[in-house]
Amino acid sequence: MSRERLIVIGGDAAGMSAAAKVRREDAQREIIVFERSPHTSYSACGIPYLIGGLVEETEKLIERSPEVFRDQYAIDARVRHEVGAVDPARQRVRVRDLATGEEFDEAYDQLLIATGASPFCPDLPGREGVGIYGLSTLQSGIRVQMALAEERPRQAVVVGGGYIGLEMAEALVRQGLKVSLVQRGPQVMETLDPDMGSLVSESLRRVGVILYLAESVTGFETKGGRVRAVVTDQRTLPADLVILGLGVRPNSEMAAAAGLELGVQGAIRVNSRQQTGVAGIWAAGDCGETYHRVSRQPFYVALGTVANKQGAVAGINLAGGYATFPGVVGTAVSKICQYEVARTGLQEREIRALGLEFAAATIKTRTRAGYYPGAGPIHVKLLAERGSGRLLGGQIVGMEGAAKRIDVLATALTAGMTVQELVDLDLSYAPPYSPVWDPVQTAARQLI
Amino acid sequence: MSRERLIVIGGDAAGMSAAAKVRREDAQREIIVFERSPHTSYSACGIPYLIGGLVEETEKLIERSPEVFRDQYAIDARVRHEVGAVDPARQRVRVRDLATGEEFDEAYDQLLIATGASPFCPDLPGREGVGIYGLSTLQSGIRVQMALAEERPRQAVVVGGGYIGLEMAEALVRQGLKVSLVQRGPQVMETLDPDMGSLVSESLRRVGVILYLAESVTGFETKGGRVRAVVTDQRTLPADLVILGLGVRPNSEMAAAAGLELGVQGAIRVNSRQQTGVAGIWAAGDCGETYHRVSRQPFYVALGTVANKQGAVAGINLAGGYATFPGVVGTAVSKICQYEVARTGLQEREIRALGLEFAAATIKTRTRAGYYPGAGPIHVKLLAERGSGRLLGGQIVGMEGAAKRIDVLATALTAGMTVQELVDLDLSYAPPYSPVWDPVQTAARQLI
């Protein structure tokens, strides 16, 4: 085998999964990874726990450092190197060493774009103020951690009630800050239907987060370049720390400039092998598009699980093997204050947008046999297609042991099961883990 | 609708699920339930927790009393009434009132046999000794609880390492007894492969249970009618309390005497609507046979989940509706000392008995992200068919959060998924619940 060169742009989940996979399959390949932050292979999902003090050392969030990749994988992982442009015709990338400012070109035989995503911030007055943070990279988490330690902010406003915003609101309460959260919609966690989202809103209020629902941020007040308040369409909220929790956007500008096709939400379009439309260029992770197996449409989601899987698929293909990524069913889970919160499949508005009709059932039961110590409430909502009874989606909010039940629904969705088939599943039962009918089956029984 | 009479023999999970279902569908039906114990609708699975002191009151294990059935469901639930014979030709049952000794015949239009199962005790010398207990009914649990309180036994021997035996061993340790356990096989929990069972053996030793593995009980020493030791093929173990944990046998003698066909392990043969071969007679729960969806063979299992489901199916059919029970995939779960223990599908010896070939993978990982507080070990073993990669079975032993993951495997088995399809599932991930690759997927990745 000739010594071909693979260049990977981005050194987190997708990029490093792919690089490591190629190395395992092909000892000869030259592999260079350019990562603009100082870190490789870290758990971005762990950042709220770092900031909240549940995880004590930053290093614990790093799975493998650049040195490990260099020494154990013979992967030339160069952090603080930013790729600014891709030239598909000449098969080169333009790289800038952020330490020295030096720029240089590097040629590739194959290129994997794994540039991730960035926190979304609408173009509002004052948005450049110091003290306004989005969270995506480990570096961004460390910046917030340092701000907490050095500037001792007392009043935080979280803008947006997605899962990162909510996890951060909880983390900041833990650190003793007064925390407000502004959310445009009627409830937080808009990936749930509002009836389920209201349970999450309530759990945040219970720990002291002040919620401003159905309210829009119109700008930020700054003084001497520092943020001092968040302005909404209804009030001005003093703030010395602002967290953006409005979701992320794929880092796909460079790919677009190189002529690659973009898809949903501006994510890089790929086929199921993670190939872009340009020969030799692949994409994986938060910068790329995926496919929704329930809606049967292109889809965008930024999650570590998906990035890891897509990276592994890209790696196998780049190593000369054959693998495809079949897509997602929309599964996500989070821990918000007292509640475990999970969802999969389609929610009501997604189903309506597809022109489908559905029946819904919501039940409240217990996480364990009622008599077993520690049994707590669990709410399960299921959505099934009218007529066929085919499961379309599920949402769970409940105490310890609630969340991972979503995986049964994710598996059932993947298999195209009906609610009757869900009722018929041979799920496990013992008093410490479940009532005799598992809560997901209790919900399904309402729909048959 | 004419006022037909349904007689149900047995007032626990299957019988009362069916009776309640019929009542909901048919307000007119006359429904009589005969139950020989003093209780209806109780959680037999809760007995070890009652005896171990985790559940404080017996009443908490009772879901609905005979009075509730009488008053709220208009079901004539007669406890302490034993049915001794069924006469299918005359459509009558012979009933004995255990309080008065009075015997009488009762005619039925439809009959549901839901007589449950009884602890197995081999025909060994001394087996009638006082102080030897099997556990099945709530009454049997209360008897052990009373023996503990009144006789203050100090040395217990559990015969057999099935899940009831193990849960009881742990409960008795909690109550301060010295507990030994004799098990014929090389490890406890023979529904797991021995490599996984050995983890459970270890967890029992850690709480102080003395295990005698690969050892057979040959009899019991008694004195004055009371048990004083368990004799094995290798030693004599002093005991003032003996628990039989050798599994159960279906209570099907009366059905056989009435001419009903028996199947696997002497369980009453039924079709998927829970009908026996005799017109008007149905059977459900631990007394009846079921079907294994993975082995595609008739199967016997005594579990509350199955009894509830079969009871509901029988009830729908008895009420004039149409429902079928599609069978089980062999799912079971238990909590044994520090471990959550779960299994589904086929284990190695079951696969071999079918003449199939398989590949196995066992992995050890963590229940949560490694850096998240409370992450504990989890062992997952998967078995997949050679060539096709079709999942055949799974076993899980691990700390908190481990067990219910078996439900993903049970769902995947039901759908006939391959290990590749398992890897491709969109399972949930957040640091408090899982590593980024769920442990079941980490195991599946070893098999592709």
Side-chain angles (χ1 to χ4, degrees), chain A residues 43 46 305 309 328-331 334-335 340 371 400 404-405 407-408 425-426 428-429 433 436-438, chain B residues 43 46 305 309 328-331 333-335 340 371 400 404-405 407-408 425-426 428-429 433 436-438:
Chain A
S43 171
T305 44
K309 285 176 187 159
V328 301
V329 296
T331 310
S334 185
K335 187 172 183 319
E340 302 188 358
Y371 55 81
E400 192 163 352
K404 278 299 254 177
R405 292 172 205 265
D407 289 348
V408 170
L425 286 175
D426 187 17
S428 61
Y429 159 65
Y433 311 123
V436 67
W437 286 95
D438 189 272
Chain B
S43 171
T305 43
K309 285 176 187 161
V328 301
V329 296
T331 310
V333 68
S334 184
K335 186 173 185 317
E340 302 189 357
Y371 54 80
E400 192 164 351
K404 279 298 254 177
R405 292 172 204 265
D407 290 348
V408 170
L425 286 175
D426 188 17
S428 61
Y429 159 65
Y433 311 123
V436 67
W437 285 95
D438 189 272

Side-chain angles (χ1 to χ4, degrees), chain A residues 14 34 40 56 76 78 134 138 144 185 209 215 240 242 244 266 282 330 333 374 383 391 404 438 442 444:
Chain A
F34 295 114
T40 53
E56 286 177 14
D76 182 6
R78 302 193 208 165
L138 181 54
V144 173
V209 177
E215 196 161 330
D240 40 14
V242 174
L244 299 173
W282 307 65
V333 67
L383 302 160
L391 183 68
K404 278 299 254 177
D438 189 272
T442 300

Side-chain angles (χ1 to χ4, degrees), chain B residues 78-335:
Chain B
R78 302 192 209 167
V79 294
R80 306 209 61 212
H81 280 70
E82 186 170 32
V83 175
V86 176
D87 182 345
R90 293 171 59 231
Q91 295 197 209
R92 284 171 187 276
V93 293
R94 185 77 186 158
V95 189
R96 182 183 168 86
D97 179 337
L98 296 179
T100 64
E102 184 200 354
E103 291 208 7
F104 57 94
D105 281 357
E106 202 75 69
Y108 62 79
D109 295 294
Q110 302 90 24
L111 178 69
L112 174 64
I113 303 177
T115 44
S118 295
F120 174 64
C121 184
D123 190 13
L124 297 172
R127 62 176 274 191
E128 303 303 335
V130 175
I132 302 177
Y133 298 93
L135 286 167
S136 57
T137 59
L138 182 54
Q139 202 176 13
S140 65
I142 293 169
R143 267 189 224 117
V144 174
Q145 203 184 23
M146 284 177 62
L148 283 173
E150 292 170 7
E151 298 162 18
R152 305 224 164 256
R154 297 175 57 193
Q155 298 186 92
V157 174
V158 176
V159 180
Y163 68 97
I164 292 176
L166 302 185
E167 289 170 359
M168 281 302 298
E170 183 182 0
L172 295 172
V173 165
R174 273 182 182 272
Q175 294 293 7
L177 280 78
K178 183 187 167 196
V179 180
S180 302
L181 189 145
V182 184
Q183 160 78 345
R184 186 187 298 221
Q187 298 296 343
V188 299
M189 197 66 111
E190 293 195 320
T191 52
L192 303 182
D193 294 330
D195 55 338
M196 297 295 279
S198 71
L199 299 167
V200 183
S201 296
E202 201 41 58
S203 75
L204 285 156
R205 286 196 187 98
R206 220 169 288 149
V207 300
V209 177
I210 303 158
L211 298 186
Y212 298 98
L213 303 177
E215 197 161 327
S216 294
V217 171
T218 56
F220 305 95
E221 280 184 17
T222 59
K223 186 177 178 182
R226 278 202 63 85
V227 69
R228 47 179 276 168
V230 173
V231 185
T232 78
D233 52 5
Q234 294 180 47
R235 76 199 80 226
T236 296
L237 294 165
D240 40 14
L241 176 70
V242 175
I243 301 290
L244 299 173
L246 295 163
V248 298
R249 295 292 181 273
N251 293 327
S252 57
E253 304 81 354
M254 183 169 58
L260 272 61
E261 187 184 355
L262 304 188
V264 175
Q265 287 192 38
I268 302 168
R269 181 147 283 174
V270 288
N271 68 7
S272 59
R273 295 186 71 192
Q274 303 300 134
Q275 286 174 303
T276 72
V278 175
I281 305 186
W282 307 65
D286 294 359
C287 65
E289 199 182 50
T290 184
Y291 175 78
H292 199 299
R293 298 172 82 169
V294 184
S295 74
R296 301 172 190 169
Q297 296 195 342
F299 188 63
Y300 178 69
V301 66
L303 283 175
T305 43
V306 177
N308 269 283
K309 285 176 187 161
Q310 291 184 344
V313 166
I316 291 168
N317 287 315
L318 281 162
Y322 189 89
T324 57
F325 181 68
V328 301
V329 296
T331 310
V333 68
S334 184
K335 186 173 185 317

Side-chain angles (χ1 to χ4, degrees), chain B residues 380-405:
Chain B
V380 178
K381 179 173 186 172
L382 292 186
L383 302 161
E385 190 176 33
R386 179 181 163 188
S388 73
R390 179 169 65 102
L391 184 68
L392 292 175
Q395 298 162 41
I396 300 177
V397 177
M399 304 297 274
E400 192 164 351
K404 279 298 254 177
R405 292 172 204 265

